[in-house]
Amino acid sequence: MQDGQKVCVKCGSWQNWRRFLPVSNATLSLLVALTSVLTVFISTFANQYRTIYPVREVDISGSYDPQKNVLTLDIYNFGDLPAKLATNIHCFLGMENAMEIALGMSREDEPAAMVKYWTVENRVIGPRKNVKVEYALQTDALSLGLQQVLCFSALSYLGGKTKIEDFLLTIVPREGDYWWAVDAFFSEELDMEKMYLNLSGDDPESPNYSWH
């Protein structure tokens, strides 16, 4: 054996750190092949799992233009399924603290004046896509003024079994600003249907009460 020689020319054994590993070249080759197979299997399993149990996650923010009475929603779909926004958004005026109501920290049981916004734009947001949708006030004769607003809307996840998810929007006016921030709230703890009926004063049997 010469100095620095890593493999014995007679027995073929390693002379460096690898001699302490009781693994042959054939075993190492099998381990490499097994690793490759496991990688493909895990990737395939993960894809199949997300097909059966897809991720549903949408982030919504927005702004309101008080001059044009236009509500703009900025939606990003982080999930695996396309999502579709409702055509209409129902908004109640004159809330003392719309944010606290949306967070479930306070409640409003008295009926309030309602306005509706609608859109004819594309409302479908593909997986890992971002879309902006503008909603216009259905009447030109009304302005929000400087009132806080609580809005009800919904989106549906398409593909497979359709799932509808309700959400709330709050508009808090800022005097002198060209636009007001719009915040969205998703909550499974709030009874949004009961809250909507309290604010609208509608008959739950009426076909017009829903915001979906």
Side-chain angles (χ1 to χ4, degrees), residues 32-106:
V32 172
L34 178 61
T35 301
S36 300
V37 172
L38 286 176
T39 301
V40 174
F41 173 78
I42 293 173
S43 177
T44 302
F45 176 80
N47 290 334
Q48 283 295 109
Y49 181 86
R50 295 189 72 165
T51 300
I52 301 173
Y53 303 102
V55 175
R56 296 179 175 91
E57 182 180 358
V58 170
D59 179 76
I60 299 177
S61 59
S63 62
Y64 183 78
D65 186 334
Q67 304 299 321
K68 298 180 180 179
N69 284 329
V70 172
L71 175 62
T72 302
L73 296 185
D74 190 359
I75 309 101
Y76 193 93
N77 186 356
F78 292 95
D80 301 318
L81 298 175
K84 185 177 182 180
L85 289 170
T87 306
N88 290 284
I89 297 177
H90 295 194
C91 296
F92 293 91
L93 311 180
M95 301 292 103
E96 290 187 7
N97 198 321
M99 191 80 71
E100 286 189 3
I101 296 174
L103 291 172
M105 298 171 61
S106 65

Side-chain angles (χ1 to χ4, degrees), residues 88 90 116 196-197 202-212:
N88 290 284
H90 295 194
K116 296 181 181 180
Y196 181 90
L197 290 174
D202 287 345
D203 182 347
E205 301 300 325
S206 170
N208 299 319
Y209 89 92
S210 177
W211 61 91
H212 295 149

